[in-house]
Amino acid sequence: MRTIGLSGAEWLAVLRIGLGLWWLESWRHKNKKDWFERGTGIGWAVGVAAKHRWAFVRGGFDAVVTPRPKAMAYVVVYAELALGLGLTLGFLTPIALIGAIVLNLLYFLLMIHDWAEQGQNSMMVLISVVGLFGMSWQTWSLDEAWGLFL
């Protein structure tokens, strides 16, 4: 494989780190006090799910998220932080990439009517899949330094 500037493995690491920074920014811009104390994030999502065009999304949301808004707020906020740190540092990277795929697919399904959200989440899934199958943890990662997943 011929590349410019960096090796193929290094470009995959750049992609993985960029995805991690994207997750960290998603975590950083959330108003945690509002999410945890007032439930604004989950409250907004409840409204989106209630009007969703697909019954299985409405039903799944009502069964899993709606009964536990406070717990789900913590799950969402800290999942984004964990994904961001794991991908940026390259720690437990395959697990973080699979988690990113799952979370982005859930976001994609919930926001199926929003073109901007569809674009963002589909691109994040694509990057995660490329990072996973390209084994992006082989370069510039704690996984590489500690001999994990080699």
Side-chain angles (χ1 to χ4, degrees), residues 49 51-59 108-109 112:
K51 296 180 279 186
H52 204 280
R53 66 176 77 158
W54 296 333
F56 81 92
V57 173
R58 288 190 308 269
F108 183 88
L109 281 174
I112 199 71

Side-chain angles (χ1 to χ4, degrees), residues 16-79:
R16 181 201 81 232
I17 292 165
L19 180 62
L21 293 172
W22 198 343
W23 279 112
L24 286 174
E25 175 56 21
S26 182
W27 171 80
R28 186 199 65 79
H29 83 259
K30 283 182 172 46
N31 183 329
K32 279 70 157 183
K33 183 175 182 175
D34 284 350
W35 267 73
F36 297 148
E37 292 178 13
R38 295 187 318 161
T40 55
I42 299 300
W44 168 82
V46 166
V48 171
K51 296 180 279 186
H52 204 280
R53 66 176 77 158
W54 296 333
F56 81 92
V57 173
R58 288 190 308 269
F61 200 91
D62 286 343
V64 176
V65 179
T66 304
R68 357 181 136 69
K70 193 165 194 90
M72 294 311 294
Y74 280 93
V75 167
V76 168
V77 169
Y78 287 112

Side-chain angles (χ1 to χ4, degrees), residues 7 10 23-24 33 51 67 69 74 76 80 91 95 106 133:
S7 72
E10 289 168 338
W23 279 112
L24 286 174
K33 183 175 182 175
K51 296 180 279 186
Y74 280 93
V76 168
E80 290 183 357
F91 179 64
I95 297 165
L106 289 171
F133 289 101

